[in-house]
Amino acid sequence: MSRHDHGVLLAIESSCDETAAAVLDRREILSNVVASQAELHTPYGGVVPEVAARHHLTTINAVIDRALDDAGRTLDSIDAVAVTERPGLIGALLVGVATAKGLAWSRGLPLIPVDHLRGHIHATWLAPLALDPPYVSLVASGGHTRLDRVSADGEVTLLGETLDDAAGEAIDKGARMLGLGYPGGAALDRLAADGDRDAYEFPVGLAGRDTLDFSFAGVKTALLYLLRDIGTPGPRAADVAASYQEAVMRPLAERLLRAAEKAGARALSIGGGVAANSRLRALVTEGAEAAGIRVAIPPISLCTDNAAMIGAAAYFTDRVPWPGYLAQDAVATAPPGGVAT
Ligand code: KG4
Ligand code: ZN
């Protein structure tokens, strides 16, 4: 792993339910277009893989055109194409990878196959945050929750991870139990803003243990039981939401800060959809300031899935020269260690 100047990049992301394209000039985001399919999947209470793949297929060319337009560029001024190759829904990934390969090949450009998790880990590299590694990173999304140390040349070492549900999964299931729809992270955040986070006591997974791992299965079950006991929370819904949110966000913030202190890190970063959470952002900011550690928190548009972060991760990823990537495949799973090196 090392740093690479790929020039002006077209980056493409299609691993789940967002069709996204961005144009970047090194750290500068020239455009960042995201077409979310979330509403399409709402009636099913989760992402339906075939629906996602089909929708990517009908949307991706328009999203790329829009990204080029917004950036005031044409394909003539693109030096390389970056694309999410793993992990994710295989049909969804394939649409992005096939599109990227086609564009890159037809223009004689190199291709940079990027790990989606690296996108979340490196989003803070982009201007204006422009955080250079080394730092300690928390990525919390719908599918992943992990703490990593990121070395100066971008090498990622796992420090802790969830033993069961991802934080976003716990948040989405809680939101659904509270009748907030799917995916309910942002709605739960808004409801919790008016609530008392000390109103209800929820168990914090692995509390009191000297670990940097996480567990969110218990807090989810506790919410199920609480709602069974009290029935529809009615006017207390905001208190339930705030207390539940606290039990998910507090261990994320505390273990991130502990990991940073243990590693002697001078900076920390958060990423992934859950990093959009206002309570997590407040806890991490307060804690880092108290510990004298620099904190880099991307704008919400760079926390949830987007293609600009894939362009950032490309900076730390080797390119495959034209035309050697024609056999390049999408891969559903994460590599051993969780993140591609
Ligand atoms: O990174 P992301 O966009 O997609 C995945 O790769 O999973 O993360 C989506 C997750 C969902 O669980 C969503 O509910 C959650 O991020 N999320 C939030 C907030 N906004 C999005 N969770 C808590 N508070 C938010 N404000
Ligand atoms: Zn993601």
Side-chain angles (χ1 to χ4, degrees):
M1 199 50 49
S2 54
R3 299 167 185 239
H4 307 274
D5 182 354
H6 300 299
V8 177
L9 270 184
L10 170 66
I12 298 172
E13 150 67 37
S14 71
S15 65
C16 190
D17 60 344
E18 260 93 35
T19 319
V23 178
L24 300 98
D25 186 352
R26 285 81 183 182
R27 287 183 148 164
E28 207 69 43
I29 302 173
L30 304 183
S31 65
N32 193 17
V33 177
V34 180
S36 177
Q37 313 174 358
E39 274 179 24
L40 221 62
H41 302 283
T42 301
Y44 307 103
V47 178
V48 184
E50 285 77 9
V51 174
R54 198 167 335 133
H55 199 71
H56 283 306
L57 202 54
T58 55
T59 316
I60 198 155
N61 288 336
V63 168
I64 291 171
D65 284 349
R66 176 70 177 274
L68 289 166
D69 272 2
D70 284 3
R73 302 278 177 147
T74 64
L75 281 173
D76 294 338
S77 60
I78 299 297
D79 298 315
V81 180
V83 65
T84 306
E85 65 146 346
R86 73 189 306 174
L89 303 172
I90 192 66
L93 284 165
L94 273 170
V95 175
V97 169
T99 306
K101 272 163 55 175
L103 279 175
W105 186 81
S106 66
R107 296 264 156 181
L109 300 176
L111 185 82
I112 308 151
V114 172
D115 183 304
H116 179 85
L117 263 286
R118 275 194 171 271
H120 287 304
I121 290 171
H122 294 297
T124 44
W125 179 79
L126 296 166
L129 284 172
L131 175 67
D132 274 308
Y135 54 83
V136 168
S137 143
L138 166 72
V139 172
S141 70
H144 306 273
T145 304
R146 52 184 290 142
L147 279 170
D148 292 287
R149 190 180 22 223
V150 185
S151 76
D153 60 3
E155 200 175 308
V156 171
T157 311
L158 181 69
L159 301 174
E161 63 187 330
T162 184
L163 304 180
D164 39 56
D165 292 349
E169 213 175 328
I171 285 292
D172 287 343
K173 286 187 180 151
R176 192 171 343 154
M177 284 187 243
L178 286 165
L180 299 173
Y182 174 88
L188 187 87
D189 195 354
R190 280 194 299 275
L191 179 61
D194 300 323
D196 172 6
R197 51 181 174 264
D198 298 321
Y200 296 94
E201 203 169 321
F202 284 101
V204 169
L206 311 179
R209 296 224 219 137
D210 183 22
T211 177
L212 294 175
D213 289 332
F214 306 97
S215 167
F216 298 107
V219 65
K220 208 178 59 187
T221 313
L223 176 61
L224 184 73
Y225 289 153
L226 174 72
L227 293 176
R228 203 176 279 170
D229 287 346
I230 67 172
T232 315
R236 312 241 25 211
D239 291 344
V240 176
S243 305
Y244 182 76
Q245 177 175 272
E246 190 71 7
V248 176
M249 301 308 162
R250 193 165 273 284
L252 291 176
E254 283 177 359
R255 283 166 213 167
L256 168 61
L257 290 159
R258 192 151 15 107
E261 277 172 34
K262 261 187 168 173
R266 309 251 300 273
L268 57 81
S269 124
I270 62 175
V274 178
N277 186 264
S278 59
R279 182 65 184 148
L280 179 65
R281 295 162 91 88
L283 284 169
V284 170
T285 307
E286 280 163 25
E289 277 171 6
I293 298 172
R294 178 179 172 199
V295 56
I297 301 187
I300 289 173
S301 58
L302 294 178
C303 289
T304 48
D305 286 349
N306 67 91
M309 72 179 194
I310 300 305
Y315 185 78
F316 298 91
T317 308
D318 293 339
R319 74 185 96 182
V320 183
W322 184 91
Y325 43 78
L326 286 180
Q328 175 72 42
D329 235 335
V331 186
T333 54
V339 177
T341 52

